[in-house]
């Protein structure tokens, strides 16, 4: 089974075709409507998203112990459909590196920061492994916002 077949949209298309006698195009249109409804009305968090208390970037001007850091709840996209394409084309390591960069940038865009321990919750990697994934990006000159908190 293809990795792409495991997306929510493809699952809906498959279920619609299994339960009703319809063409692939018709099933796709019904599945798209169902997905739009789910995302708009029922899913507070989209597929692959989590809600996590993160450091409030606007209140964090210097390093502080976690117990006194200002926090805020942030929705983050841990799993994306793009991850599937990356695994197929470039492999797991490239997908993990992309996911790491996406999480850091998404967090910063939502005016929050990730520290190393919270990042380890989201990715099945140690701090040492996370640094190794970031090194090639840094060597290419890519600067991810808030990345210095990984070195606490």
């Amino acid at each position: 089974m293809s990795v792409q077949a495991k997306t929510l949209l493809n699952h809906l298309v498959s279920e619609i075709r299994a339960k009703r006698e319809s063409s692939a195009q018709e099933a796709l249109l019904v599945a798209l409507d169902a997905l739009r409804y789910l995302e708009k009305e029922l899913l507070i968090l989209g597929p692959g998203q989590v809600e996590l208390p993160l450091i409030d970037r606007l209140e964090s001007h210097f390093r502080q112990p976690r117990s006194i850091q200002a926090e805020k709840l942030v929705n983050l996209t841990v799993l994306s459909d793009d991850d599937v394409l990356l695994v197929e084309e470039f492999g797991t390591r490239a997908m993990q590196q992309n996911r790491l960069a996406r999480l850091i940038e998404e967090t910063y865009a939502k005016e929050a920061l990730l520290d190393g321990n919270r990042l380890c919750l989201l990715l099945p990697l140690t701090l040492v492994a996370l640094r190794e994934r970031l090194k090639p990006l840094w060597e290419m000159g890519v600067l991810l916002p808030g990345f210095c908190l990984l070195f606490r």
Side-chain angles (χ1 to χ4, degrees), residues 47-106:
Q49 288 189 330
V50 297
E51 188 175 61
L52 196 65
L54 300 178
I55 302 165
D56 187 348
R57 160 168 82 89
L58 299 176
E59 300 295 323
S60 178
H61 303 292
F62 53 91
R63 292 185 179 185
Q64 301 171 337
R66 185 170 181 173
S67 60
I68 63 170
Q69 288 175 344
E71 292 183 343
K72 65 192 267 183
L73 282 176
V74 177
N75 292 347
L76 293 178
T77 306
V78 178
L79 301 172
S80 168
D81 288 343
D82 294 338
D83 293 345
V84 173
L85 301 173
L86 284 170
V87 167
E88 284 183 336
E89 192 167 338
F90 301 106
T92 304
R93 188 174 182 90
M95 181 270 301
Q96 288 176 338
Q97 190 176 39
N98 179 69
R99 185 180 290 168
L100 175 61
R102 183 185 66 236
L103 284 168
I104 292 170
E105 288 178 343
E106 185 179 354

Side-chain angles (χ1 to χ4, degrees), residues 126-137:
T126 65
L127 279 175
V128 173
L130 289 172
R131 285 186 199 111
E132 289 302 314
R133 294 290 194 279
L134 288 170
K135 274 185 188 177
L137 295 175

